[in-house]
Each structure stands twice: as C-alpha cells, then as structure tokens.
Amino acid sequence: RQAYHEAIRRVSALAEETRLMVAISVWGLHGATIVYVRENTPRIHANVRAGGIFMTTLTATGRLFAAFHPSDLTEPVIQSELAEIRTSQSAGYGTDEKAFRKQVRAVRKQGFETTLDIPIPGVSAIAAPVFDHAATMELAITLIGPTPTIDLAPDGPDVTRLLAFTRRLSADLGHDPDAVSYTHLRAHETEADL
C-alpha cells in the first residue's frame, strides 16, 4: 500500500514532465488492473480508466507483470488470454505462446516494455515496474500517448524519465536492484524456452 500511495503522490510530476497520460496498475484477480489514471493533454482515445484491465499478452503493462510477477499468479490469466487469442480476431496481432515467452524474457532483461499501436492503433505505451524492499513487483507505471508524441527509444527521454521515476520510487521503498534474482518467476518456462 505504501507503493500505491507514494506513486499517487508523485505521478502528477511525471505526467507534467512527459505531457503523457500516466496509469498505475496492480495485479488483480483478472490481470493487470488499472487503479489510477492521471490524464494529460492532448486527450487520447484509449479506454484507460480505473478498474480497467490491461491484457497480459498484448500490452506493455501486461507483459511487464508476466516478466516480474510470480508465475503462479500470472500464468492462469496468460493461458486464458492465449486460448482466447487463438479463437478470436485478436489473432491478427500475431501473438502466439512462443513469441509471447520471448517478449517476456526480453522485458525481464531490459527492465521495461513498450507497445507501438497495439492494442489500439495510434496509441503507444511504455511500462516500468516498481519493486519493494523484498524485490516484489508492487505496481506498474505506464506512460500512454498518441504514437507521434511518445518516444519509445530505450535511450529516449520518455523511457529515461519513466525509468528514473520507477527506480527512484523503488529505492525509496527499500529495493536493492543488485540483490535481485528472477528465477522464482520462471516456473512456467521450460529449458527449451530459456
């Protein structure tokens, strides 16, 4: 709860600095659940509101939780979404399990995730995790904006500002990034996946 309250207290400054929408999400019963949204101009046409769910397999926020949250919590949602994608129009996004697992490993390695025009054309996002003193991912902070106004480059200003924000908040919560091992999160990955 401390992470949530600290994030709410600080997120307006991030929104002003980036001029992007900022969403705070936690893991809930149905996946990555939006708990707070700080809008900014220009208004974007994305259904991002408190109580909404970010798909685990198709969004930056969802893949972030898949990478850093315990697999016993995320895996049932992932399997349900993958089954739904196989039988729906979402299959056009090209997400299959092997590609998804590869994306999750890349997210774990780089420490953040981006999406370009998916799942909403014209809207892109950057998501980064906030960890507590026990190296538990408490929440995700996601920058969302019209694709032409958000810089998704790993060394670009938006990624840099978001990572500085989440790393500072994590450090204030007692997180030591040098003491982290994510092996406990990989229960669903086979040797072939690694």
Side-chain angles (χ1 to χ4, degrees):
R1 297 197 184 259
Q2 182 184 3
Y4 171 78
H5 292 296
E6 279 300 310
I8 296 256
R9 191 175 69 76
R10 302 176 187 198
V11 82
S12 289
L14 180 63
E16 293 299 322
E17 187 179 344
T18 61
R19 301 195 45 77
L20 296 167
M21 176 188 286
V22 181
I24 300 172
S25 304
V26 298
W27 190 260
L29 292 175
H30 303 289
T33 305
I34 304 162
V35 293
Y36 183 83
V37 177
R38 171 60 163 77
E39 304 240 9
N40 211 335
T41 54
R43 188 164 174 86
I44 61 172
H45 297 289
N47 194 17
V48 178
R49 57 179 170 30
I53 305 290
F54 283 123
M55 283 190 73
T56 308
T57 53
L58 295 179
T59 67
T61 306
R63 287 194 296 266
L64 195 73
F65 276 101
F68 295 111
H69 213 60
S71 64
D72 61 329
L73 298 175
T74 60
E75 196 60 24
V77 173
I78 291 166
Q79 289 304 318
S80 175
E81 287 183 15
L82 288 170
E84 185 179 323
I85 287 169
R86 283 189 291 271
T87 60
S88 75
Q89 286 138 346
S90 298
Y93 290 125
T95 298
D96 64 23
E97 186 162 4
K98 187 173 182 176
F100 171 73
R101 300 293 181 198
K102 185 176 180 180
Q103 288 173 315
V104 169
R105 287 190 303 278
V107 171
R108 198 175 290 129
K109 185 176 181 179
Q110 71 183 4
F112 68 93
E113 177 62 318
T114 62
T115 52
L116 175 66
D117 294 327
I118 292 177
I120 301 168
V123 177
S124 295
I126 308 163
V130 174
F131 296 99
D132 66 11
H133 66 283
T136 300
M137 182 180 166
E138 290 287 327
L139 48 87
I141 306 290
T142 307
L143 297 178
I144 304 164
T147 299
T149 67
I150 189 168
D151 186 342
L152 302 178
D155 58 350
D158 294 328
V159 171
T160 300
R161 287 179 180 129
L162 178 59
L163 289 176
F165 180 90
T166 56
R167 288 172 179 161
R168 185 171 43 250
L169 180 53
S170 294
D172 291 349
L173 295 170
H175 177 62
D176 177 3
D178 296 327
V180 176
S181 169
Y182 299 111
T183 55
H184 68 287
L185 303 175
R186 299 180 184 167
H188 61 276
E189 294 178 353
T190 66
E191 285 297 316
D193 291 333
L194 301 173

